[in-house]
Amino acid sequence: MTDRPYVIDQMISAKSIAARVESLADEIEAHYAGTDKLIVIGLLRGSFVFIADLARELDLPVEIDFIEASSYGNSTTSSREVRILKDLRGEIEGRDVLVVEDIVDTGFTLSHVIHLLSARKPRKLEVCALLDKPARREVDIKARFTGFEIPDEFVVGYGIDYAQANRNLSYIGKVRFTD
Ligand code: IMP
Ligand code: MG
């Protein structure tokens, strides 16, 4: 599949992303107003560009941590296993936490991570997702803050990959196969 030729059609420009990140940061600041410290947790690897831009727009005391989860599809059942490959470095008990995700697709990854982090008893736990593909949802979960709702297309760029490629694009584009 990764050998199939494809082109990338721009879907969301770098300028639109930057504008949306600014307004998301405003919403997040309002939500966490007065916090002594917000722990912003990026889901590796897809969120690394988004979290870098978002964190710099947040006018709050912030700490950054990362967690990495990997999911395995199982085509015979609609259930999926999610494994934690890299856990947080810090404690979140009693803290204000914001999980930053690139895309909410089926929702399995996010629901697993939220479940895991909730068990550690943060004071407040919300999710900010850059992209949401509601048409693909299998688990009833929604990010508190969403950058853009997009149709059921495979997208890349701004941290998001196709077979590890294209994470460095400054915009978000959809993959179109040309064969
Ligand atoms: P979920 O568990 O199905 O919600 O999986 C979400 C994860 O799948 C995202 O964090 C991405 O890493 C990956 N993913 C979902 N849709 C896309 C896409 O269109 N392009 C690249 N990765 C995607
Ligand atoms: Mg991801």
Side-chain angles (χ1 to χ4, degrees):
M1 174 162 164
T2 56
D3 291 337
R4 285 179 70 188
Y6 65 91
V7 294
I8 297 166
D9 300 325
Q10 181 171 294
M11 183 188 262
I12 309 170
S13 69
K15 216 173 147 185
S16 307
I17 298 169
R20 187 68 189 112
V21 168
E22 251 187 68
S23 57
L24 277 172
D26 290 344
E27 291 175 39
I28 293 164
E29 276 169 25
H31 188 79
Y32 290 96
T35 185
D36 59 328
K37 183 167 73 183
L38 175 63
I39 304 183
V40 181
I41 299 176
L43 249 85
L44 292 172
R45 284 173 266 180
S47 71
F48 83 103
V49 175
F50 181 38
I51 197 176
D53 284 347
L54 184 65
R56 283 179 291 179
E57 293 294 335
L58 288 175
D59 192 12
L60 292 172
V62 156
E63 279 188 12
I64 307 286
D65 206 339
F66 292 97
I67 191 166
E68 184 171 11
S70 123
S71 54
Y72 296 92
N74 179 343
S75 50
T76 58
T77 72
S78 65
S79 70
R80 282 205 310 180
E81 220 181 290
V82 178
R83 214 158 42 105
I84 298 301
L85 302 179
K86 182 215 170 290
D87 204 342
L88 300 177
R89 289 292 294 270
E91 308 287 326
I92 58 167
E93 185 172 349
R95 318 279 1 170
D96 289 325
V97 173
L98 178 70
V99 173
V100 176
E101 169 65 314
D102 55 356
I103 308 182
V104 186
D105 191 41
T106 63
F108 280 109
T109 310
L110 195 55
S111 87
H112 183 87
V113 168
I114 292 305
H115 196 77
L116 179 94
L117 297 181
S118 302
R120 298 180 190 176
K121 310 261 181 278
R123 194 172 82 86
K124 191 184 252 187
L125 176 65
E126 306 287 6
V127 176
C128 178
L130 178 65
L131 304 175
D132 187 2
K133 287 200 245 181
R136 296 257 310 160
R137 197 73 86 258
E138 293 180 42
V139 178
D140 186 21
I141 191 164
K142 191 162 172 52
R144 172 88 189 212
F145 309 98
T146 298
F148 303 90
E149 276 196 7
I150 60 167
D152 183 12
E153 303 277 1
F154 196 83
V155 296
V156 293
Y158 200 70
I160 302 163
D161 73 303
Y162 171 48
Q164 297 309 323
N166 307 301
R167 289 193 197 272
N168 58 324
L169 296 178
S170 59
Y171 59 92
I172 289 168
K174 60 181 177 191
V175 170
R176 177 163 54 88
F177 292 100
T178 52
D179 56 359

